[in-house]
Amino acid sequence: MEYDYLIVGAGLFGAVFAHEMTAKGKRCMVLERRPHVGGNVYTEEIAGIQVHRYGAHIFHTNDAAVWQYVNRFAAFNHYINAPIAMYQGRVYNLPFNMNTFYAMWGVRTPAEAQKKIAGQIAAAGIAEPKNLEEQAIRLVGQDIYERLIKGYTEKQWGRSCRDLPAFIIQRLPVRYTYNNNYFNARWQGIPIGGYTQLVENLLKDIPVQLGSDYLTERDNWQGRFGRLVFTGPMDTYYDFAEGALEYRSLRFETETLAMENYQGNAVVNYTERKVPYTRVIEHKHFEFGTQPQTVVTREYPQAWSKDAEPYYTVNDERNNALYSQYAARAAVEPQVLFGGRLGSYRYYDMDQVIRAALDAAEAEING
Ligand code: FAD
Ligand code: UDP
């Protein structure tokens, strides 16, 4: 046996797991289909700016151990995410807070804002929200739903808010304070020098084979490792035997502009349905960059097909049930460990993926 673990995927789950098991004296080999490590947190330098190739990534966590852990592999800056939303040429702060309510209705105090929103919630008369639309209106009322949620969500997910699960919107805070911090997390920041460096540090001295798809090379690996860790989509591992799990994909359009500052903020959401992209990222603002040029990325939601990258899992009833069928297969295949966002079919943030990988490594050692 050449390796104790063959780890498929050099994203955060694979890298953390490989690091932990190597530290315990296990022999690990990492396979990665893409030409680089990092998975979706991969960053590359363009014009001296760290560009988030697969979408903006802001690290945030309430997990003290995970925060300490990532700080061993990168120094983090003090970036706080405070996106703005653009709707019909007007600017609104996100998440929904007193600045948003002031821009929306001119209300200045929490009591005025609460009265306005409570009035709209009462007028909608929704007792038990059955879908995202009802959940959103019950949370923030009709005006905010129409201007800041409906168009963005429908283009993001490619379906009506009435056909989407309510939980998607529960991620967004609603605050009656003038606080534009998108997250409630205790710790937040961006790794100085980019995420790729963080993942490279995790994988230091561990063999990694890039441009290598495990699924087309299974025969080659037969009998050469003890246990397999698979962080790709679970349905691909089983050759879609139960049917294909659904995802939402994205297309990124990146350009370098000969100006210092394009939009004055790292993240600007376009919440109108008719604008084809959901957000424009200006990467230098994640790191307080002062370069003479700037790099911006427009993010276009796309239908998913088997050739497209599976960025977001679609956790509706049908897909969750299908995933359970795959999970039942996995349960009787103890020599394979499925992990990460795709392997678990969960809307995991980075800190949750790291936590899951640390727990999985711990369980391997201590049972
Ligand atoms: P991945 O990063 O997807 O890594 C899996 C790797 O496995 C990939 O590199 C893939 O190429 C490889 N692979 C798959 N199949 C095979 C195969 N058959 N053979 C070889 N290799 C294979 N989280 C946050 O905390 N904050 C954010 O701001 C944030 N923003 C996000 C924005 C977007 C647009 C997206 C899509 C996600 C965002 N996330 C964010 C979530 C974050 O990206 C994930 O939590 C994290 O990257 C998941 O790591 P992973 O290792 O599970 O998966
Ligand atoms: N959302 C919205 N308007 C916005 C931003 C987000 O309606 O301007 C909704 C949308 O449904 C989205 C969800 O909130 O899918 C979660 O947003 P988040 O920014 O957490 O999404 P992610 O970074 O995972 O794409």
Side-chain angles (χ1 to χ4, degrees):
M1 205 82 78
E2 286 170 66
Y3 302 105
D4 296 305
Y5 292 93
L6 181 66
I7 296 160
V8 178
L12 278 176
F13 189 96
V16 169
F17 187 88
H19 183 89
E20 289 305 297
M21 298 317 287
T22 304
K24 293 283 188 278
K26 303 292 180 190
R27 293 158 306 161
C28 296
M29 170 64 163
V30 180
L31 289 191
E32 172 54 57
R33 174 171 73 178
R34 291 174 177 168
H36 57 74
V37 300
N40 286 342
V41 310
Y42 174 71
T43 46
E44 64 185 334
E45 194 179 305
I46 302 176
I49 298 161
Q50 291 297 327
V51 172
H52 299 212
R53 165 92 82 84
Y54 303 99
H57 278 75
I58 300 105
F59 195 91
H60 56 99
T61 190
N62 282 316
D63 187 328
V66 166
W67 180 242
Q68 279 159 16
Y69 188 80
V70 290
N71 275 275
R72 280 171 48 200
F73 303 97
F76 279 70
N77 71 15
H78 61 286
Y79 177 79
I80 297 283
N81 200 31
I84 58 169
M86 204 68 92
Y87 179 82
Q88 293 188 343
R90 287 187 61 104
V91 170
Y92 299 91
N93 287 103
L94 293 173
F96 311 128
N97 72 77
M98 285 305 298
N99 289 306
T100 327
F101 309 145
Y102 176 68
M104 187 82 46
W105 307 299
V107 294
R108 292 185 178 86
T109 65
E112 285 174 312
Q114 269 155 353
K115 194 168 159 219
K116 188 84 192 166
I117 290 175
Q120 293 197 1
I121 293 172
I126 298 159
E128 288 235 344
K130 289 185 295 297
N131 52 49
L132 193 149
E133 174 170 295
E134 295 186 357
Q135 173 73 44
I137 295 172
R138 228 177 80 108
L139 205 62
V140 286
Q142 196 76 31
D143 287 351
I144 292 181
Y145 171 66
E146 296 288 343
R147 289 185 220 175
L148 303 183
I149 298 174
K150 188 175 192 301
Y152 186 99
T153 301
E154 292 190 346
K155 61 187 169 182
Q156 164 80 354
W157 294 100
R159 59 179 84 173
S160 160
C161 286
R162 294 196 187 116
D163 298 329
L164 282 165
F167 82 89
I168 292 175
I169 204 73
Q170 283 155 2
R171 289 163 65 89
L172 293 184
V174 179
R175 292 193 197 111
Y176 292 92
T177 53
Y178 288 92
N179 176 1
N180 295 326
N181 186 345
Y182 199 59
F183 301 113
N184 285 321
R186 170 79 175 77
W187 296 282
Q188 186 171 170
I190 305 278
I192 296 166
Y195 286 93
T196 305
Q197 208 179 77
L198 187 159
V199 176
E200 281 169 354
N201 286 339
L202 279 163
L203 290 171
K204 196 164 171 282
D205 301 327
I206 298 171
V208 179
Q209 204 166 291
L210 297 175
S212 191
D213 188 332
Y214 170 73
L215 297 174
T216 58
E217 296 168 19
R218 274 188 218 222
D219 292 348
N220 180 29
W221 290 100
Q222 201 69 40
R224 294 172 58 190
F225 60 88
R227 211 148 136 63
L228 182 74
V229 177
F230 191 81
T231 73
M234 200 190 248
D235 54 350
T236 64
Y237 179 84
Y238 290 109
D239 204 17
F240 305 103
E242 308 280 353
L245 287 164
E246 211 182 331
Y247 301 89
R248 192 74 180 142
S249 199
L250 297 170
R251 182 169 63 83
F252 299 104
E253 234 175 59
T254 297
E255 54 180 338
T256 305
L257 303 175
M259 62 172 79
E260 215 182 300
N261 189 358
Y262 173 69
Q263 62 183 15
N265 208 32
V267 184
V268 178
N269 290 0
Y270 285 80
T271 58
E272 268 164 89
R273 184 73 189 80
K274 68 169 199 267
V275 178
Y277 40 85
T278 46
R279 47 192 174 190
V280 180
I281 307 303
E282 187 168 10
H283 301 269
K284 72 191 306 179
H285 297 310
F286 285 127
E287 50 191 23
F288 315 102
T290 55
Q291 298 85 350
Q293 289 169 298
T294 193
V295 180
V296 298
T297 301
R298 287 185 171 69
E299 196 171 309
Y300 295 82
Q302 299 279 294
W304 176 80
S305 67
K306 284 180 187 168
D307 303 322
E309 282 291 339
Y311 287 108
Y312 291 99
T313 58
V314 178
N315 292 91
D316 59 10
E317 270 176 42
R318 189 194 83 85
N319 285 292
N320 285 342
L322 186 54
Y323 175 75
S324 301
Q325 285 174 255
Y326 282 114
R329 281 178 177 245
V332 293
E333 200 167 4
Q335 72 277 23
V336 187
L337 193 162
F338 291 91
R341 211 183 207 212
L342 298 169
S344 322
Y345 202 68
R346 301 262 297 265
Y347 201 123
Y348 267 154
D349 278 327
M350 291 180 276
D351 63 325
Q352 296 170 300
V353 166
I354 293 168
R355 165 53 56 207
L358 291 172
D359 289 349
E362 170 79 22
E364 287 294 301
I365 299 295
N366 296 325

